[in-house]
Amino acid sequence: MTSAEPPVCPRCRGEALLWARVPYGWANREGGRVAGRTGVVLCPACDAQAPNAAALITWFHVHGQADDEDEEFVRLLVGWATSVSVPPLDEHAPEAEIERWLRGDL
Ligand SMILES: [Zn+2]
């Protein structure tokens, strides 16, 4: 997905190349799969070493704008999007934050 305004990279606050929704999920308490989607950005600075990102970043440098009618772009996009790693959900993070808040550390 792309928009008129370039997305902002949440890691370096720089200008990212594109924003995409990728499948994301975790196992719930009963072991059932909770499936959803989450947004990720492709950042030319932060993702230069990420799997399958370099070729897509290079594609943007050459062509400028995303073009979903370009077979090469779609191939590179799918390759990157399927290898993006999203950190697993930390189910203890909210409790830890509440404890820190109650102690006055937050
Ligand atoms: Zn970045």
Side-chain angles (χ1 to χ4, degrees), residues 90-106:
D90 180 357
E91 61 191 59
H92 302 294
E95 293 161 23
E97 225 167 76
I98 289 168
E99 278 175 32
R100 285 177 56 206
W101 182 78
L102 290 172
R103 283 199 311 262
D105 295 342
L106 197 66

Side-chain angles (χ1 to χ4, degrees), residues 9-15 41 43-47:
C9 172
R11 292 159 287 178
C12 70
R13 297 276 151 212
E15 218 172 78
V41 299
C43 173
C46 302
D47 294 321

Side-chain angles (χ1 to χ4, degrees), residues 61-73:
H61 286 313
V62 173
H63 298 89
Q65 289 282 314
D67 177 4
D68 61 8
E69 305 215 334
D70 183 297
E71 273 180 39
E72 176 74 358
F73 172 73

Side-chain angles (χ1 to χ4, degrees), residues 6-65:
V8 174
C9 172
R11 292 159 287 178
C12 70
R13 297 276 151 212
E15 218 172 78
L17 295 169
L18 71 88
W19 180 86
R21 286 178 73 81
V22 297
Y24 178 59
W26 58 88
N28 66 17
R29 204 174 288 238
E30 285 80 39
R33 185 85 185 139
V34 178
R37 288 182 169 264
T38 189
V40 291
V41 299
L42 175 66
C43 173
C46 302
D47 294 321
Q49 305 300 319
N52 299 323
L56 185 56
I57 291 169
T58 302
W59 191 95
F60 271 99
H61 286 313
V62 173
H63 298 89
Q65 289 282 314

